Amino acid sequence: MREVVLKTAGDFAEWRSAARGLLAGGVAPEDVSWRGGGEGASLFGDAVVAAPGAAVSLPRELLEIAERVICHRDPEVPARLYRVIWRAARDRQLLARTTDAEVDWLRGADKAIRRDVHKMHAFVRFRRVGEAAGRERFAAWFEPSHRILRLTAPFFQRRFTGMDWAIVTPDARAIWQDETLTYGPGGTKDEVPDSDVVEDQWRTYYGAIFNPARVKVDAMRAEMPKKYWKNLPEAQDIAPLLAGAEARVERMRETAVSLANPLTEKWRTRVPDELALDNDVKTLDELARAVDKCKRCPLYCHATQGVAGEGPKAARIMLVGEQPGDQEDLQGRPFVGPAGQVLNEALEEAGLDRKRLFLTNAVKHFKFEPRGKRRLHQNPTTGEIDICRWWLDKERAFVQPELIVTLGASALRGVTGKSASIKSMRGAAHELEGGAKLVATIHPSFLLRMPDRTRAAEERKAFVADLIRARKLAA
Amino acid sequence: MSAKAILEKLAVLADAAKYDASCASSGTVKRDSTETKGIGSTEGMGICHSYAPDGRCISLLKILLTNFCIYDCRFCINRASSNVERARFSPQEVVRLTLDFYKRNYIEGLFLSSGIIRSEDYTMEQLVEVARILREEHRFQGYIHLKTIAGADPGLIALAGLYADRLSTNVELPTEAGLSSFAPEKKPETIRKTMASVRIGADDAIDAAKSRLIGKARPPRFAPAGQSTQMIVGADAARDDDILKTASNLYSGYQLRRVYYSAYSPIPDASSDLPPVRPPLMREHRLYQADWLLRFYGFERAEIMEGASGGMLDLTIDPKLAWALQRREAFPVDINRAPRELLLRVPGLGTRAVDRIVAARRLGKLGLGDLAKLTASVKKLLPFIVTPDWRPGKLTDSADLRARFAPPPEQLALAL
């Protein structure tokens, strides 16, 4: 039987060097007895020396866990940890065996430590000690469940770099001063001031943020166990707050509704003017504002905004698409998403300058179906297209284009009022009521949806040809 | 300003802020004070520094800059017509409080909101100013959550996104009808436009980061912890279905990180057209569960509503179980062979348990004994699963399956 005596409980480096030596020497866990941790252990037994050149490789995750778990107060921990690494050296999959009893223990112990660390990050309360060399100084007394000071101090260093501080625990202390972190022996509560001027404000805040109508004491105690209360300045207020809660709620319920604050009318904002009558629209700008407020059909309920057409009033060609997509809906402008990108390239190829065209849609609000983090485009119904023709007709009346290019079937319906296949209309110019010409083609998003590349290239060519035809017809 | 006056204002302005449920301080970028030599850090995981007796965590200093308000939303304690005591902090006072609290490790940072004073733009400017002073003059690296004032200029929102970790715009009531009768000054389309400008700001920042030239400085992050919103439950006639419909539209359209559901709780000096009842905490809880199903379990809203009746979720059992009871044909599921997506649909299995099952079954078949180590309760799973040592037989389709899970009625009364 080997005996290992650890001088300092919870010292990972010391345990690791001992464990390394034992592992390299092939000493089985049942042949080792681990002792120590400052309990006046006798120093007999064999010194453990690492066998040269026989480092055993272990999964990195296991070493990280061991570094935490060694802080556990359970005196069996050094021995149990050694048993786990002994097995892990022979079974690389060990940590993944979540149903193994020892792995289960290891994970449980690790969880306890991580929780303790997290709670220490949360519940340390600094008190101001003074100021030295232009730096504020703070000190805190804390009693963690395990020996975790070294696991937590770096967190406080990263967070409170700009001030000096000390955290004193029963086992050890950490001091951050002159930009250096040092550790020292444990201490007592009376080394730290017993109050701080800001604590009154903190307790006031704690009392005011509590909602007496939703008392849930168990939920509070599950996350802030009573063992921490003695070092939390706000905890002394828990009992009085709870005692008064029911009465406060009762008072709210019983108090008759009072008269409105006499200053209400002076303070209240005016509700913005109701919709200007659609018929009053006199310019394209006014039209865009009216479109944004449109409630002629329910599509406005979930869209961000109504997206009106865009382009010069004197444009000779008007391009009509189907409806705004995700990007158009967010930005409030037509053809700025992926389909707009395709359109821009095709326009350029066809020798058309986008800035001189009027671009709009048959339907002004985005119709979609939410799917997780995305909005899936949905085709507008003929009813929705027909209702929205109100706006398209107004745009046509303002711009009076010589030629209208409809992109896709919805646009064709929007412009003509009739459903027809693009195929039957394509390739020729049609005369619209009022004298404008019509060129019907596909919607650019059709090209984006085609999986077959060669067919997509052909379709794209035909699309550009349609745009060239439109340019020539309008010339 | 005397210490007493600060205490009084703090009491008023924290009390006025407590109806906002959000207190998250997680999900932002990692940063600390090592380089800046100031104070503050955020390390991904949020920290709850305390808990109030209402069971809610206290992570941030959650206060209003002022509770004066020109809006008159019926459900709000700060509405113009309320006789609540009013107060206003200066930006410097909020900065002082934040730093004092932070240095004592009381908080992770600041969550600043405000009543609307003068105009939406003016109010937003004031909020942004507090964040600017903290970041620029005090090198504060802690967490900042700013309320975006719906209708404020997109330029101000863009600025807010540069200083804040999170931005939020509250929807408050899920339906148009609810808003127009309870909050006449709030317009759903204005709220959505504000959320859209936050999303555009975030998208632009991501594009800028992607297209930056090698060697050039990284462009600034925009609200790295994303945006969130809150809906009040039980103040108006909206059904759970309306609430979830609005939630899924917002998640999909504006990439929200979180939608918070806040049970309407009675406020002092309440408006007469609101229910003076206890807050519907169980309803709020079921909505959160449904929300989780939407975001982490691959459920669509329509599926969740299969387990509901009249557009309201079942209060007695959780929404996943309610769905499963309507969809018995999908069960039992073989623990050792079913794909992850199917395991996620088993009542009683959470995402973590599913991950552990998927990892553990690679190394050998799992029986009930193994499941007991991987999950919270095997008993709940029994009707819905198959393992080498367990088959539910007729249990899956038995008529009294619901009764097996539903607590007796008197317990329900307690839960409410």
Side-chain angles (χ1 to χ4, degrees), chain B residues 176-304:
Chain B
E176 169 107 14
L179 266 187
S180 65
S181 52
F182 287 98
E185 292 90 356
K186 282 195 178 229
K187 296 279 171 234
E189 58 270 23
T190 315
I191 296 169
R192 288 195 291 265
K193 269 185 205 154
T194 302
M195 288 182 174
S197 36
V198 173
R199 184 183 155 193
I200 290 172
D203 287 351
D204 287 353
I206 290 167
D207 288 346
K210 273 187 193 152
S211 59
R212 101 184 137 123
L213 297 171
I214 294 168
K216 293 280 179 196
R218 185 185 289 275
R221 303 286 295 252
F222 185 93
Q227 62 171 328
S228 64
T229 191
Q230 165 172 297
M231 280 187 265
I232 296 174
V233 177
D236 67 346
R239 298 164 311 153
D240 293 344
D241 192 28
D242 301 321
I243 294 171
L244 291 176
K245 193 180 276 177
T246 300
S248 42
N249 280 324
L250 297 177
Y251 278 127
S252 65
Y254 312 109
Q255 318 280 291
L256 265 64
R257 289 285 178 90
R258 280 290 295 273
V259 172
Y260 290 90
Y261 306 92
S262 177
Y264 174 73
S265 89
I267 50 172
D269 195 32
S271 174
S272 57
D273 46 5
L274 282 164
V277 292
R278 286 183 174 276
L281 295 182
M282 183 49 81
R283 192 178 164 201
E284 174 191 287
H285 178 57
R286 295 293 180 227
L287 281 166
Y288 274 117
Q289 289 179 316
D291 186 87
W292 250 249
L293 293 182
L294 286 175
R295 290 190 297 144
F296 306 118
Y297 291 79
F299 278 79
E300 293 296 334
R301 180 189 55 85
E303 291 177 302
I304 295 170

Side-chain angles (χ1 to χ4, degrees), chain A residues 36 41 273 275 293 302 304 372 435:
Chain A
D273 291 342
L275 284 184
K293 289 181 187 164
H302 295 294
T304 305

Side-chain angles (χ1 to χ4, degrees), chain B residues 25 98 117 126 207 228 232 247 250 342 351 374:
Chain B
S25 56
T98 308
I117 37 171
Q126 296 283 303
D207 288 346
S228 64
I232 296 174
L250 297 177
L342 263 186
T351 48
L374 301 174

Side-chain angles (χ1 to χ4, degrees), chain A residues 410-471:
Chain A
S410 299
L412 192 56
R413 167 100 198 179
V415 171
T416 62
K418 288 188 274 271
S419 290
S421 76
I422 300 173
K423 217 168 161 187
S424 68
M425 304 283 286
R426 215 168 168 184
H430 304 267
E431 192 87 6
L432 286 167
E433 234 175 276
K437 289 183 216 119
L438 169 79
V439 166
T441 184
I442 55 155
H443 194 278
S445 67
F446 176 59
L447 300 175
L448 286 171
R449 287 197 301 266
M450 288 181 78
D452 182 345
R453 286 216 180 164
T454 41
R455 265 206 63 205
E458 281 166 27
E459 283 293 345
R460 192 172 178 285
K461 220 181 257 175
F463 179 51
V464 174
D466 287 336
L467 293 176
I468 292 173
R469 184 172 310 115
R471 189 193 75 207

Side-chain angles (χ1 to χ4, degrees), chain B residues 49-69:
Chain B
H49 285 271
S50 194
Y51 286 81
D54 52 22
R56 297 204 284 192
C57 104
I58 301 175
S59 178
L60 304 171
L61 170 61
K62 181 160 55 177
I63 45 170
L64 302 191
L65 194 56
T66 175
N67 65 339
F68 286 99
C69 192

Side-chain angles (χ1 to χ4, degrees), chain A residues 267-285:
Chain A
W267 288 358
R268 262 183 80 157
T269 182
R270 299 250 152 65
V271 178
D273 291 342
E274 274 310 302
L275 284 184
L277 281 179
D278 296 345
N279 286 318
D280 292 348
V281 167
K282 297 210 172 50
T283 64
L284 279 171
D285 276 352

